[in-house]
Amino acid sequence: MAKRWTNDLTAADVTPEALFWNRRKLLAGMAGAGLGSIAGGAVAEEGLATNTWEEVTSYCNFYEFGTGKEDPSYYAGAMTTSPWSVEIDGLVDNPGSYGFEQILEAMTLEERIYRFRCVEAWSMVIPWQGFELADLLALAGVQDGAKYVAFETLLRPDEMPGVRYPVIDWPYREGLRLDEAMNPLTIMATGIFGKPLPNQNGAPLRLVVPWKYGFKSIKSVVKITLTDQEPPTSWNMANAREYGFYSNVNPNVNHPRWSQASERKIGGGLFAKRQPTLMFNGYEAEVASLYEGMDLAKHF
Ligand code: MTE
């Protein structure tokens, strides 16, 4: 099958693998070692004064296993990921339960190196393995009236200690407009750094939308619904003022509590110079047309 998308990033741009796996430890370690206040000071100098280190780093998470930054790595191992199936329903010709193996057999898997902006001010370059969401939607047969795609994460309280707490109205939910979902950049990832996804990163399959913030990348997906209505999304339900439906990386629209105009590269060192955040996380050429004529300050 012909490649439909070419990458401008190479292996040389990839965030060192050890830093990716250890970033929670790295960030937590800095806070634990008393460097938190130093880091907090550095952050404050750069205009993020109201945020503690904890607040800045806790965005990278899997809240079903707890909101603590180390919780997912302790508890996510208990999640059963096989057998796994994804229910695809709503405005599709072939609704039903699709087994993970069945999906893999039908899809073309490839590796893609994407910029990923997880914690608000930190960026990474990650090699993901996955397939285009558009291909999965084609398998289900999208009907004419469909305008949005809604996603849900597994909700299994026996295996997920974090869902005892109503920090999010469980299950975790996300959504895309249909044209965003069909964009060739949008993938369902099944692996990372050449390995199957670890549970804490969303095994066995999670969404990756490289021009949006990491929180849009819903993990461990069990349900995909095609609808004609904009679906509710977890972070928007939790805090509509801070998290909009679109969640595009946009240096011109600040988060209410911090600037998004610059970012720090993971691996660049704690005191490395911040770099300007790129519009749509560097994917402007590919996706700007999706938002033509929209007021992105309103649809943030
Ligand atoms: N998906 C689910 N189901 N639950 C979550 O808490 N956290 C989101 C997103 N997907 C989250 C989720 C957030 S806030 C981020 S930053 C990314 O996952 C982090 O993904 P990573 O840990 O693989 O980098």
Side-chain angles (χ1 to χ4, degrees):
M1 195 187 265
K3 256 213 165 27
R4 289 157 291 178
W5 177 75
T6 47
N7 212 336
D8 65 335
L9 294 163
T10 69
D13 299 303
V14 169
T15 300
E17 187 176 348
L19 279 182
F20 177 82
W21 299 122
N22 290 317
R23 77 200 143 132
R24 279 186 190 81
K25 231 170 237 152
L26 188 92
L27 299 171
M30 289 190 299
L35 275 169
S37 52
I38 297 173
V43 169
E45 271 167 35
E46 296 178 59
L48 306 175
T50 51
N51 295 94
T52 61
W53 187 244
E54 172 68 36
E55 283 166 336
V56 177
T57 57
S58 63
Y59 281 91
C60 207
N61 234 321
F62 199 163
Y63 277 21
E64 284 85 337
F65 298 99
T67 53
K69 43 194 174 307
E70 304 254 12
D71 287 343
S73 54
Y74 290 138
Y75 300 119
M79 175 171 65
T80 310
T81 58
S82 174
W84 192 273
S85 58
V86 182
E87 180 79 24
I88 307 185
D89 66 6
L91 300 170
V92 289
D93 296 333
N94 314 307
S97 175
Y98 291 75
F100 182 59
E101 302 303 325
Q102 173 197 358
I103 292 174
L104 284 189
E105 266 168 41
M107 296 294 117
T108 309
L109 275 174
E110 44 180 308
E111 180 177 282
R112 292 179 172 197
I113 298 173
Y114 279 155
R115 288 182 204 90
F116 190 63
R117 198 150 183 269
C118 184
V119 183
E120 298 298 328
W122 294 89
S123 66
M124 294 168 276
V125 175
I126 306 293
W128 300 99
Q129 287 81 42
F131 54 83
E132 291 187 11
L133 174 59
D135 290 344
L136 181 59
L137 297 181
L139 199 65
V142 177
Q143 294 181 345
D144 280 348
K147 295 195 178 78
Y148 295 90
V149 187
F151 303 84
E152 277 181 30
T153 293
L154 177 74
L155 176 55
R156 195 179 286 150
D158 295 356
E159 298 181 357
M160 296 176 150
V163 304
R164 271 178 284 162
Y165 307 98
V167 278
I168 273 167
D169 183 6
W170 312 106
Y172 193 98
R173 277 166 266 203
E174 259 310 336
L176 295 172
R177 220 170 53 194
L178 185 62
D179 55 352
E180 297 178 316
M182 299 300 265
N183 188 282
L185 281 178
T186 304
I187 56 167
M188 296 301 295
T190 57
I192 191 166
F193 286 103
K195 306 172 174 77
L197 279 179
N199 285 4
Q200 69 245 40
N201 296 102
L205 85 167
R206 58 91 65 84
L207 184 68
V208 176
V209 194
W211 70 94
K212 295 180 184 271
Y213 289 106
F215 64 82
K216 212 58 189 167
S217 301
I218 182 170
K219 295 175 172 179
S220 306
V221 171
V222 290
K223 191 166 180 200
I224 298 179
T225 306
L226 278 289
T227 86
D228 57 1
Q229 306 284 323
E230 186 181 288
T233 65
S234 287
W235 286 103
N236 182 250
M237 287 191 286
N239 191 339
R241 201 176 85 86
E242 299 193 3
Y243 304 105
F245 175 79
Y246 283 92
S247 315
N248 288 321
V249 174
N250 185 342
N252 310 315
V253 177
N254 287 339
H255 183 278
R257 289 183 286 130
W258 56 79
S259 163
Q260 302 192 137
S262 69
E263 62 189 25
R264 220 188 294 259
K265 210 167 130 181
I266 285 204
L270 181 57
F271 300 102
K273 225 169 117 349
R274 296 176 71 91
Q275 58 192 31
T277 299
L278 298 172
M279 187 67 190
F280 299 118
N281 212 25
Y283 298 97
E284 191 167 9
E286 289 95 333
V287 302
S289 63
L290 295 174
Y291 308 102
E292 235 165 52
M294 281 176 74
D295 177 355
L296 295 183
K298 198 169 142 221
H299 300 283
F300 60 94

